[in-house]
Amino acid sequence: MTSTAVPAQTAPAAPASATARAATEPVPDALAAPGTGRLPLPRPRGPLTAALVRALVDGPPGDDAAERLRPVRDALPVALDAGAGRVLRDDDVQLALTVLYELHYRGVDGVDDAWEWAPALLAVRARLEVPFEAAVRERAGRPACTETDAAGVARRLFELAAADGGPSLSRYVAKRADAEQVRELLALKSLYQLKEADPHTWAVPRLAGTPKAALVEIQADEYGGGRPGRMHAELFARAMRGVGLDDTYGRYVDAVPAVVLAAVNTMSLFGLHRRLRGAVVGHLAAFEMTSSVPSRLYGNGFRRLGHDANTTWYFDEHVEADAVHEQIAARDLAGGLAEQEPALRDDVLLGAAACLAVEGDVAAHVLERWQAGESALRAPLDPPLPDQASSPSSSRSSSRAAEGGDAPGA
């Protein structure tokens, strides 16, 4: 949050908005963590992930790691040929990247942590990342900017966000989504939101000065300002419980489609490569700049369906927090980095445009399926967990097209 100068020897007063929130918002659960475990071992979605899973669960890497990965290397060209021209929608390729990237986060059930830095496995990931990065760059386009000062770059980022004409999933949720659709929404978002902020945090040691300070300021809020019960991942887990979903980390990895995996993998690609630090900064800027209004609409949709503040808290928190974050992210973080390192300006724009594009693809997929009266998931959700769901029953919404543009992931 931004700071306010206080006269000498005068105690700072709590902002009115914070006082109002304290009187109305729920009290965090003492033990409400959304699980501290690993990503559940996913079911393969093709020959590549089948070979990868078999190799990884066969014990820690040893001197024979390269030989054990031979079936994976053999499956790579077949998978990439099959996914040529549609890498961002290819289930086998995107799930393989998800598993490989997750080794750098919380790990994967049944996979030894020593695989994280196994050279032979990193070589496999590198081969997948080449066509993946190319596809992300193509999808993002080539947004131009003639400025390199912080204000000019921030202005250009706001123009990109304002020009985004993606479908408005949040408006659909606010006005039309039914009880099962909002459950699907949270399941789709859970693969990222239960580790919210982590991919962007990789950039912290790669920045310096004003951009670093701005990033830390934003991330501190994302992690609850030192209060575990207010971490945004924790608030999202609370929302999941409110609609009767299992908030176990990665629980719905087998249910989400490739387009969702690609959106999460884009963050990991940018975050894990120092050469792409400009892109991960631009991605975060776009994410923060286009979150506040959709969060308000999402919250309204959940309230329309009868959910209380425990379930809507996650979205309500983002309405105010991201309204502040968008200014810091655009000017001090992204603009500041471009001013500090002008050579990174185009990567900053790349990251922002990629965010708008791939998150817009998720929204388009979800709306297309819902408006056709179908599920946006690969597999149906289990019935609400007993004693958790508070959502009333609701009939299937109208398939009338949603109107207007929306935010990344919204």
Side-chain angles (χ1 to χ4, degrees):
M1 306 295 282
T2 54
S3 60
T4 304
V6 178
Q9 299 181 350
T10 300
S17 57
T19 302
R21 289 201 313 273
T24 58
E25 66 187 17
V27 177
D29 295 341
L31 298 172
T36 55
R38 299 163 175 257
L39 181 78
L41 189 69
R43 297 187 185 95
R45 300 189 187 183
L48 176 60
T49 44
L52 179 63
V53 167
R54 279 197 301 270
L56 294 181
V57 299
D58 191 24
D63 293 339
D64 63 341
E67 182 60 31
R68 286 163 56 189
L69 289 171
R70 182 183 296 276
V72 181
R73 294 195 301 274
D74 291 344
L76 271 171
V78 177
L80 292 175
D81 285 346
R86 48 180 292 275
V87 170
L88 300 181
R89 301 284 182 135
D90 188 274
D91 276 296
D92 204 18
V93 170
Q94 291 304 322
L95 183 60
L97 281 167
T98 295
V99 170
L100 293 171
Y101 285 142
E102 193 59 37
L103 295 175
H104 299 286
Y105 292 102
R106 299 192 187 181
V108 180
D109 274 348
V111 178
D112 193 283
D113 284 343
W115 278 108
E116 179 183 5
W117 296 110
L121 189 61
L122 292 176
V124 167
R125 197 187 87 189
R127 287 185 62 185
L128 284 171
E129 285 180 326
V130 171
F132 176 50
E133 182 178 341
V136 170
R137 287 180 178 274
E138 181 179 0
R139 183 67 187 87
R142 296 178 179 274
C145 179
T146 59
E147 310 293 336
T148 56
D149 64 292
V153 172
R155 199 161 43 244
R156 181 67 179 117
L157 290 173
F158 277 110
E159 290 172 357
L160 287 175
D164 180 46
S168 181
L169 180 55
S170 62
R171 187 170 288 112
Y172 183 97
V173 170
K175 297 180 179 180
R176 304 182 181 90
D178 64 30
E180 189 60 19
Q181 287 172 339
V182 298
R183 295 182 76 234
E184 286 194 3
L185 175 75
L186 295 187
L188 288 161
K189 286 179 169 289
S190 66
L191 207 63
Y192 167 66
Q193 306 298 164
L194 290 179
K195 63 180 176 190
E196 183 171 350
D198 290 351
H200 300 113
T201 298
W202 292 114
V204 172
R206 294 166 179 169
L207 304 180
T210 296
K212 183 169 191 164
L215 178 57
V216 170
E217 181 174 3
I218 293 170
Q219 299 303 78
D221 277 352
E222 301 291 332
Y223 294 127
R227 293 166 290 177
R230 293 189 65 102
M231 292 174 65
H232 289 182
E234 306 278 355
L235 300 184
F236 190 84
R238 178 186 287 267
M240 294 181 73
R241 295 194 297 273
V243 298
L245 292 174
D246 185 346
D247 67 350
T248 301
Y249 182 80
R251 164 67 176 79
Y252 298 102
V253 63
D254 288 325
V256 301
V259 67
V260 171
L261 299 179
V264 181
N265 289 338
T266 297
M267 298 185 216
S268 295
L269 171 72
F270 291 162
L272 286 168
H273 291 272
R274 185 180 183 278
R275 67 180 175 83
L276 294 173
R277 63 193 182 280
V280 75
V281 161
H283 187 287
L284 177 58
F287 217 84
E288 297 292 335
M289 291 162 59
T290 54
S291 173
S292 182
V293 171
S295 291
R296 175 175 53 79
L297 292 172
Y298 283 132
N300 290 344
F302 278 78
R303 277 183 284 273
R304 174 177 59 81
L305 292 168
H307 291 289
D308 61 17
N310 282 299
T311 303
T312 65
W313 189 4
Y314 172 82
F315 297 110
D316 296 339
E317 174 74 13
H318 282 72
V319 173
E320 181 172 337
D322 288 350
V324 175
H325 288 173
E326 70 175 20
Q327 297 296 330
I328 301 171
R331 184 187 63 253
D332 300 331
L333 175 58
L337 180 62
E339 185 171 280
Q340 187 182 75
E341 297 187 66
L344 297 183
R345 180 200 59 193
D346 290 349
D347 279 351
V348 169
L349 295 174
L350 162 69
C355 176
L356 295 169
V358 299
E359 298 290 347
D361 289 345
V362 174
H365 164 82
V366 174
L367 282 172
E368 179 182 354
R369 298 298 295 269
W370 285 358
Q371 291 168 353
E374 301 172 353
S375 170
L377 298 169
R378 300 178 71 247
L381 294 171
D382 292 332
L385 295 173
D387 303 323
Q388 284 196 346
S390 61
S391 60
S393 61
S394 177
S395 60
R396 180 62 64 178
S397 301
S398 162
S399 62
R400 187 160 61 89
E403 48 192 326
D406 208 25

